[in-house]
Amino acid sequence: MIPGAFEYYAPRSLPDAVKFLAEHRDDVKILSGGQSLLPLMKMRLSKPAYVVDIGRIPDLDTIAEQGSHLIIGALVTHEQIEHSALLQQKCPLLPQTATTIADVQVRNRGTLGGSIAHADPAGDWPAAIIVLDAEIKVVGPAGERWVACDDFFLGLLMSVLEPDEIVTAVKVPVTGNDKTAYEKAAPRSSGFAVVGVAASLSIDNTGTCSRAAIGITGVTDKAYRPQRTEEMLTGKRLDTQIIAQAAAESTRNIEVIEDINGSSEYRAHLTHVYVARAIEQALKS
Ligand SMILES: Cc1cc2nc3c(=O)[nH]c(=O)nc-3n(C[C@H](O)[C@H](O)[C@H](O)COP(=O)(O)OP(=O)(O)OC[C@H]3O[C@@H](n4cnc5c(N)ncnc54)[C@H](O)[C@@H]3O)c2cc1C
């Protein structure tokens, strides 16, 4: 499988990359880890005339602490996140999520920015970052903007990104004492989520849940937070019964997809099971 012919450009600076993207915006693709783009190009589902490899742009591959937040560069790989001592200490949900992505080869090449920009409805990062209320830094011809991740994803492989805009970083809060977990059901062949669930819970010193955030991927056209489930958990001391009742509401008003991995009824049931499991694992963290 060989991709169609394209012109390759590897800029050394962000302004150069943005300029090139703006000049060719109707027929250009950004290359990061290539783990999603190259298969699409080889299958001729994507046939860009120009490919901009952003891998030589400095400073996009670092993880830094800034006050109460962590700034993760777009070119940081899944593997870097998995093994980052800083993230393990300050935001353990992200390293834990990284361990569930694909295999070692994909984790070594695939990047956080590429995954987010790709907006795969079965991608793991969208579920993890929506429970953290992350912000996504985007740079384009008009300058830079920060986009709340709730506003970033629009649907199947669709986001608010313009063709001449680059995701350059993701900002997440230090999670402190919050309890977090990521649980996923996935076929061994690809590792892509049939259902993936991120949970982030704040438990106060009386044992009451003061904030519940649940992020679900693989179930519909984009990752989502089940509002009713979160409401049912908030203000309660979480026991098995409350968790099960709240989890059973996690597909309410959601158009659950069906595909070769199962019917929508099966996937909805699996979602309820994995939401409960993620909450229980988070409470143990
Ligand atoms: C066998 C296999 C199994 C996988 N399993 C999983 C899994 O279990 N979970 C999971 O979440 N993912 C999985 N993936 C996808 C993997 O995580 C990819 O790394 C990821 O989706 C894309 O990241 P990338 O850096 O490779 O991006 P690329 O493939 O380089 O780019 C993907 C898309 O995003 C655009 N893009 C890239 N970087 C940027 C940027 N900084 N700004 C704007 N646009 C950009 C590109 O133009 C392209 O359209 C799997 C992939 C493979 C091949």
Side-chain angles (χ1 to χ4, degrees):
M1 293 205 287
I2 299 171
F6 59 90
E7 193 173 308
Y8 172 86
Y9 180 55
R12 308 278 166 157
S13 76
L14 205 49
D16 278 356
V18 170
K19 185 165 174 277
F20 190 87
L21 287 168
E23 281 165 9
H24 303 285
R25 57 170 278 144
D26 295 332
D27 212 356
V28 67
K29 280 283 179 192
I30 295 168
L31 174 69
S32 286
Q35 298 302 295
S36 297
L37 180 62
L38 294 186
L40 289 175
M41 287 174 64
K42 287 180 174 179
M43 288 186 283
R44 309 272 173 133
L45 294 171
S46 180
K47 291 189 272 184
Y50 301 93
V51 170
V52 179
D53 180 350
I54 61 171
R56 289 174 181 76
I57 298 175
D59 304 328
L60 295 183
D61 61 351
T62 55
I63 304 171
E65 190 172 2
Q66 266 182 22
S68 57
H69 285 85
L70 300 153
I71 311 288
I72 308 169
L75 288 179
V76 169
T77 61
H78 310 320
E79 187 274 342
Q80 266 176 285
I81 293 175
E82 181 181 353
H83 294 109
S84 161
L86 180 63
L87 291 179
Q88 280 164 5
Q89 197 193 344
K90 306 276 179 165
C91 192
L93 177 63
L94 297 182
Q96 198 216 331
T97 303
T99 61
T100 74
I101 296 178
D103 50 34
V104 175
Q105 289 90 333
V106 172
R107 292 202 292 275
N108 276 336
R109 297 291 311 169
T111 67
L112 178 63
S115 294
I116 289 171
H118 193 51
D120 191 312
D124 295 295
W125 289 127
I129 67 170
I130 58 173
V131 300
L132 298 172
D133 292 329
E135 288 178 71
I136 297 164
K137 187 176 179 183
V138 173
V139 175
E144 69 175 54
R145 59 188 177 124
W146 286 92
V147 183
C149 65
D150 270 353
D151 300 329
F152 185 85
F153 302 104
L154 297 180
L156 177 75
L157 305 183
M158 282 191 307
S159 72
V160 296
L161 273 185
E162 294 291 333
D164 51 8
E165 286 186 316
I166 303 176
V167 172
T168 58
V170 177
K171 179 161 85 171
V172 295
V174 170
T175 43
N177 293 328
D178 285 354
K179 296 179 169 298
T180 57
Y182 189 72
E183 291 287 321
K184 154 167 146 176
R188 286 184 71 84
S189 52
S190 75
F192 271 113
V194 178
V195 175
V197 181
S200 175
L201 308 169
S202 307
I203 307 293
D204 69 18
N205 48 21
T206 68
T208 304
C209 176
S210 56
R211 175 185 180 265
I214 308 294
I216 301 176
T217 191
V219 173
T220 189
D221 65 341
K222 61 175 185 171
Y224 71 98
R225 285 180 51 177
Q227 199 184 345
R228 179 78 187 122
T229 299
E230 293 180 354
E231 285 166 2
M232 288 172 74
L233 297 169
T234 306
K236 310 260 173 51
R237 293 167 71 95
L238 303 183
D239 60 24
T240 313
Q241 195 185 356
I242 287 173
I243 293 170
Q245 285 168 352
E249 294 293 315
S250 59
T251 52
R252 181 194 275 250
N253 299 330
I254 295 297
E255 205 171 308
V256 178
I257 57 169
E258 63 182 7
D259 60 15
I260 52 165
N261 291 310
S263 64
S264 51
E265 290 78 13
Y266 168 76
R267 204 179 224 103
H269 174 71
L270 204 60
T271 306
H272 306 161
V273 171
Y274 272 76
V275 167
R277 202 174 279 186
I279 295 166
E280 276 154 12
Q281 284 305 318
L283 289 173
K284 288 183 199 156
S285 68

